Amino acid sequence: DVLAINSKHTAAEAYLSNGLEMDVAITFNNPLGENVFALHQNTPNPFIRSTTIGFDLSETIPAVMTIYDVAGKTIKTYQIDGAKGLNTISFDRPELTTGVLYYKLETEHNTAVKKMILMN
């Protein structure tokens, strides 16, 4: 209901390379109300003191969040009792570490990795 394609201001048109007109439509891979496994980018990023990492789980399931440096050294591990839907954890700055860090979320069925930047 929030997004729609119409011709109110400009014509809602699309064409193939051969000039044939196409239908214009919006489709979503994750319909509203359907929870899926997803690891979100931390905010803020880059960060100085602390950051928040969000993730969605498709079911209530245990999860492990591991923070590690570019050399693969584990900095912090969180054992999480994950709830279906959106979950968040806060990560506070480790001593003597700056630069690019990685965070990995693992469940019985899924794994995802993202990177974040820790500033001085």
Side-chain angles (χ1 to χ4, degrees):
D1 293 336
V2 177
L3 297 176
I5 295 178
N6 62 49
S7 296
K8 182 177 179 180
H9 298 289
T10 59
E13 300 176 344
Y15 298 91
L16 294 171
S17 60
N18 62 5
L20 293 175
E21 188 172 346
M22 297 174 30
D23 290 332
V24 179
I26 297 175
T27 60
F28 297 94
N29 293 336
N30 180 15
L32 293 176
E34 181 180 318
N35 294 315
V36 296
F37 178 86
L39 178 59
H40 304 293
Q41 188 64 53
N42 64 301
T43 55
N45 187 41
F47 70 102
I48 295 173
R49 291 186 185 92
S50 67
T51 190
T52 300
I53 301 169
F55 56 95
D56 289 302
L57 297 175
S58 58
E59 60 185 319
T60 298
I61 190 170
V64 177
M65 176 78 68
T66 306
I67 314 293
Y68 54 98
D69 64 17
V70 293
K73 178 184 172 195
T74 299
I75 295 171
K76 178 87 175 173
T77 301
Y78 298 90
Q79 300 293 328
I80 303 162
D81 292 325
K84 181 177 180 178
L86 180 64
N87 295 261
T88 60
I89 63 165
S90 293
F91 173 65
D92 294 324
R93 174 190 192 94
E95 294 297 318
L96 306 174
T97 303
T98 59
V100 176
L101 301 175
Y102 293 88
Y103 55 103
K104 177 170 62 172
L105 178 65
E106 296 176 279
T107 68
E108 179 181 344
H109 308 290
N110 299 286
T111 301
V113 177
K114 289 204 178 271
K115 63 182 171 180
M116 59 185 165
I117 300 173
L118 175 56
M119 307 278 291
N120 273 337

